[in-house]
Amino acid sequence: MRYSVHYQTNDRNWVVTDVSNSYQVMGVHASKADAYRQAFAEQERWRKYDPVANNLEQIRQMMPRSLVIS
């Protein structure tokens, strides 16, 4: 996952960082749930522009919905 959540003990805050961009701080939150919510939203937002994710999505759409093996 590109975005990670860490707890800062000295500030008592949850920090969302971008691992692929030199650990740039994306947000600071008081609750763990809010931090994970932002990290998930950032990951989903970035996924639209990721060429590997786009390729996998195209492959998934081309494959049949169910495979029956007899």
Side-chain angles (χ1 to χ4, degrees):
M1 190 167 173
R2 180 181 171 129
Y3 299 94
S4 64
V5 176
H6 300 284
Y7 184 69
Q8 296 290 325
T9 54
N10 54 350
D11 296 334
R12 296 182 182 173
N13 287 324
W14 292 90
V15 178
V16 179
T17 57
D18 184 354
V19 177
S20 296
N21 195 11
S22 301
Y23 291 92
Q24 176 185 5
V25 174
M26 301 299 291
V28 179
H29 300 275
S31 73
K32 182 178 180 179
D34 289 340
Y36 274 97
R37 200 172 297 122
Q38 181 192 1
F40 182 77
E42 294 287 347
Q43 182 69 27
E44 289 300 309
R45 182 185 61 80
W46 177 251
R47 205 166 149 196
K48 292 187 291 188
Y49 304 109
D50 185 13
V52 175
N54 286 336
N55 188 26
L56 291 174
E57 181 65 24
Q58 290 173 355
I59 291 171
R60 187 185 68 78
Q61 290 177 357
M62 289 188 316
M63 293 184 71
R65 294 283 176 194
S66 64
L67 296 174
V68 178
I69 301 172
S70 55

